Amino acid sequence: MVLTGRGLGWLCHGFAGVACFLSAGAGAIAAAERPTVTGIAIGTWQQTMHSQLGGRRLDSEANAAVDVAVGLPVGGGAFELEFKGSTTPPSNGVSSVLSAANASVGESVGSDERGRVVPRRAFYRHPVGNGSLAAGLMDVTGWLDGNEVASDEFTQFLGASFVHNPTIDLPSASFGAAYSAGLGRGLGLAAVLVNATGVEPRYRAAFQPVRHGNGLFGALEVQWSGSRLAANLGAWINSRHHDDDGDGVDDERLGKGRARGLYGNLSGTAGGGRWNLRIGWADPRVQAPARFASVAYSHPFGKAVVGAAVGRTFASNRLAAPHADLIQAEAYVRFPVYRNVTLTADLQHIAHPEFDPAQNGDWVMGVRMGWSF
């Protein structure tokens, strides 16, 4: 499904209508049983200083994205649905070369490079023991690698390096299950086992775990939260194998074998704000992003929020072509405008996108308008 800017406006009105309908229809249900609808829509504008494509300077780029979540309590648990969508980025725009500059675009763009609306979650969650078990169409980022400083491209950092750990080979459109629980004394755990279908949603393949190169993605994360610090440490493995040219090697892998890795987050408070340290390691024999490290900080000033982050994704030494580590830095200032509307000014510096040593680095200026509902 392709969205124009006008189409996205109608989409937002439609979701608002759904929210009103569900709220009205739930009037006869007890308050604890009422459905919930939450969402956010953003519009972004970005411009580079120097980058070119085919000898032509990149055009400024305007995009829009929406994220809507619906919860429906049923039988002691809840059905949870989530939809994400974005407009089609221009072929000579910022994200055509610097894809890491806007994480809100890449998540919903299909293999044909066109924007669309896609279901990201459709599962049932039910309490089990000291935690909850969820099963259905999953977005595993809801259970893994989270922190309060850098994990939301709609309200925090827009750069892809600061939304998810780039060394984790995250599946998309995955059918499976996840369990999370508290263990006492600030400890908790999360376990995920889902079908691995590749980087783009392929919903028919989500129900075919052993066909067409599909495999399994499994992860186990241990969490800890104290009075001033919070941490998580996890391990993951991805056994998918997409070999479209018949050479016996996955087209998105550097060699045979299962992708696997370790990751961690450490967060705390300092100077009235919050900081996060994120690290990751993946098998360099199998995938290009081999190691990762970033540090991020956000601080409120009145009703405004200021954030700054820098990260480095280390390229595998098994890459055959000349390569260089991807380095990304970002700073933003977010202001409240009116009720649930915010305006964010954003500045990024990106060097060696896609590990290309010829791209020495460029500045990306941007503005982001957000509306929460």
Side-chain angles (χ1 to χ4, degrees):
M1 178 176 181
V2 180
L3 287 178
T4 62
R6 183 178 179 183
L8 189 63
W10 283 107
L11 178 67
C12 293
H13 286 297
F15 278 129
V18 171
C20 293
F21 174 79
L22 290 175
S23 297
I29 304 176
E33 297 295 327
R34 288 181 178 176
T36 60
V37 180
T38 59
I40 184 170
I42 64 170
T44 60
W45 176 89
Q46 292 180 300
Q47 174 67 65
T48 63
M49 296 287 289
H50 306 294
S51 290
Q52 297 183 350
L53 180 62
R56 175 186 169 190
R57 183 176 176 179
L58 296 180
D59 297 330
S60 60
E61 180 173 307
N63 287 294
V66 64
D67 183 356
V68 177
V70 179
L72 180 63
V74 175
F79 283 109
E80 298 186 26
L81 307 173
E82 182 183 20
F83 297 88
K84 285 192 175 184
S86 68
T87 52
T88 300
S91 59
N92 194 63
V94 174
S95 62
S96 62
V97 171
L98 303 175
S99 59
N102 193 337
S104 70
V105 172
E107 189 172 21
S108 298
V109 171
S111 56
D112 58 356
E113 303 300 324
R114 300 177 71 86
R116 55 186 178 170
V117 175
V118 294
R120 300 293 299 182
R121 295 185 297 162
F123 61 81
Y124 181 72
R125 187 199 300 262
H126 196 279
V128 175
N130 294 327
S132 63
L133 177 66
L137 186 67
M138 316 293 291
D139 178 0
V140 300
T141 60
W143 283 266
L144 307 175
D145 188 42
N147 68 79
E148 297 181 359
V149 181
S151 62
D152 183 2
E153 67 272 27
F154 284 81
T155 61
Q156 299 171 335
F157 296 95
L158 192 60
S161 297
F162 312 116
V163 179
H164 305 302
N165 193 316
T167 63
I168 305 176
D169 186 17
L170 293 168
S172 187
S174 302
F175 185 80
Y179 180 74
S180 59
L183 303 178
R185 297 189 177 184
L187 290 174
L189 65 82
V192 172
L193 183 63
V194 297
N195 183 35
T197 62
V199 295
E200 295 296 340
R202 300 172 183 172
Y203 296 103
R204 180 178 300 177
F207 301 93
Q208 301 171 332
V210 294
R211 300 178 60 188
H212 308 300
N214 295 339
L216 293 174
F217 175 90
L220 179 65
E221 179 178 294
V222 178
Q223 304 153 348
W224 173 79
S225 178
S227 59
R228 302 188 64 178
L229 292 174
N232 57 54
L233 179 65
W236 61 271
I237 187 169
N238 191 329
S239 66
R240 67 176 176 85
H241 184 86
H242 294 300
D243 178 20
D244 294 330
D245 54 15
D247 63 356
V249 177
D250 191 310
D251 300 317
E252 297 172 2
R253 298 276 194 248
L254 303 181
K256 295 182 179 181
R258 298 178 177 89
R260 56 184 177 175
L262 304 170
Y263 66 90
N265 284 271
L266 179 64
S267 303
T269 59
R274 295 192 62 84
W275 56 268
N276 169 256
L277 172 65
R278 175 182 264 155
I279 58 174
W281 171 89
D283 190 341
R285 300 169 298 177
V286 180
Q287 67 177 46
R291 289 175 292 151
F292 175 74
S294 71
V295 60
Y297 183 76
S298 65
H299 193 291
F301 288 93
K303 295 183 178 181
V305 177
V306 176
V310 60
R312 182 167 187 161
T313 305
F314 297 83
S316 167
N317 56 10
R318 300 296 182 93
L319 284 170
H323 55 274
D325 299 339
L326 187 155
I327 301 173
Q328 186 167 12
E330 181 176 359
Y332 72 85
V333 183
R334 186 175 74 246
F335 303 93
V337 176
Y338 176 74
R339 292 186 178 178
N340 297 330
V341 178
T342 60
L343 179 66
T344 304
D346 185 273
L347 179 64
Q348 300 182 50
H349 187 267
I350 304 174
H352 313 136
E354 309 296 332
F355 304 120
D356 183 0
Q359 296 286 341
N360 291 323
D362 201 357
W363 293 95
V364 182
M365 302 169 290
V367 177
R368 180 179 10 160
M369 180 75 77
W371 170 52
S372 302
F373 55 92

